Amino acid sequence: METRMTETSEERVPTRSRENTRARLLDAAAQVFAEVGLGEASVEAVCERAGFTRGAFYSNFDSKDELFVELAGRFVSQQVEAVRERVAALIECGPAADGAPDDMVGLVEALDVPGDVRLGVLLMSEIRNRAMRDAKTAEAYLAQDARMLREVSQLLEDIAQAKGLRLTLPAEEAARIVLTAWEGVSARAIIGGIPEPELLEVRAREIARIGHLIIDDQPGR
């Protein structure tokens, strides 16, 4: 019986080891990217930061671009999951009172979650720029962008229905407005050198204003 348990454990080690290696490479890539940008974030620098060889890198990723596209995808997934948690909490509160400003704003504010704003905005911006020149990166970027739009559209519909509110635009158009504003405000704040705590406050105010544009505050009229 002990032998069988040992074999099972050993069979699982390669899978866990590979997952851990990929995770460590992605974590290291995020750190290096944040420091020097995509262009200067070499495979060697990522490997050195992660404590792996080039062989370990290329056994997990075909190229640096593939690594950073996956890193961007991980960032998107984390953001979406954080939004889902906030939306779930709002839905539990039940329908909103007619015309309640806090509830209407909360619909859109739920889409604005704290996180490593600088890393996320810089990463997506540089990958978008790379996508303009490289077809493979473009394909991956567009797939991620479409996924994010679908996720946010669905979340908007779910919480609007749960709160008894009505969007003034189709959910996909409303989601695109929110996402464009989110990135635009974040980018301008980063360019202006605004500290992250203040950046989050500025972004929250801007996102809240959008709530009054895409949500009907008098659905019964």
Side-chain angles (χ1 to χ4, degrees):
M1 186 172 182
E2 290 180 0
T3 301
R4 187 177 302 161
M5 290 177 65
T6 301
E7 290 174 351
T8 301
S9 176
E10 288 176 350
E11 288 171 358
R12 291 175 179 170
V13 167
T15 300
R16 288 203 306 268
S17 177
R18 182 177 177 82
E19 291 173 353
N20 290 338
T21 299
R22 288 180 73 86
R24 285 174 58 183
L25 285 167
L26 287 165
D27 289 340
Q31 295 169 13
V32 174
F33 169 82
E35 294 170 3
V36 301
L38 185 59
E40 299 300 320
S42 66
V43 169
E44 289 77 9
V46 171
C47 290
E48 182 178 355
R49 183 67 60 90
F52 292 122
T53 63
R54 285 172 60 91
F57 179 93
Y58 285 110
S59 68
N60 285 275
F61 300 99
D62 290 336
S63 65
K64 184 181 78 170
D65 282 353
E66 181 185 337
L67 167 70
F68 280 98
V69 167
E70 183 165 330
L71 181 62
R74 187 175 73 163
F75 173 78
V76 168
S77 296
Q78 291 170 344
Q79 290 291 100
V80 168
E81 186 57 35
V83 170
R84 281 202 187 103
E85 292 177 1
R86 293 185 65 171
V87 167
L90 281 172
I91 288 176
E92 287 180 2
C93 296
D98 291 341
D102 291 342
D103 286 317
M104 290 185 293
V105 171
L107 169 67
V108 179
E109 285 184 331
L111 302 176
D112 190 36
V113 295
D116 193 336
V117 177
R118 180 177 181 275
L119 173 63
V121 173
L122 288 175
L123 182 60
M124 297 306 292
S125 295
E126 292 211 27
I127 287 178
R128 182 171 56 244
N129 290 339
R130 181 71 62 92
M132 293 179 186
R133 301 186 298 272
D134 178 74
K136 190 173 181 179
T137 305
E139 182 180 358
Y141 174 84
L142 290 173
Q144 285 183 4
D145 184 67
R147 177 191 162 211
M148 186 66 166
L149 188 62
R150 287 194 304 270
E151 294 276 6
V152 174
S153 297
Q154 188 60 56
L155 289 169
L156 277 171
E157 289 180 336
D158 289 347
I159 193 172
Q161 181 177 3
K163 303 294 281 185
L165 300 170
R166 186 178 71 84
L167 298 175
T168 60
L169 298 168
E172 187 169 309
E173 292 182 24
R176 178 59 72 192
I177 290 173
V178 171
L179 290 171
T180 300
W182 186 93
E183 186 171 5
V185 171
S186 299
R188 288 193 297 275
I190 291 171
I191 292 171
I194 296 177
E196 187 148 316
E198 185 178 345
L199 185 159
L200 292 174
E201 292 179 4
V202 170
R203 195 175 67 185
R205 288 197 299 271
E206 291 300 316
I207 294 298
R209 290 193 184 102
I210 292 174
H212 294 284
L213 298 176
I214 67 172
I215 300 166
D216 187 356
D217 60 356
Q218 295 180 327
R221 64 182 176 181

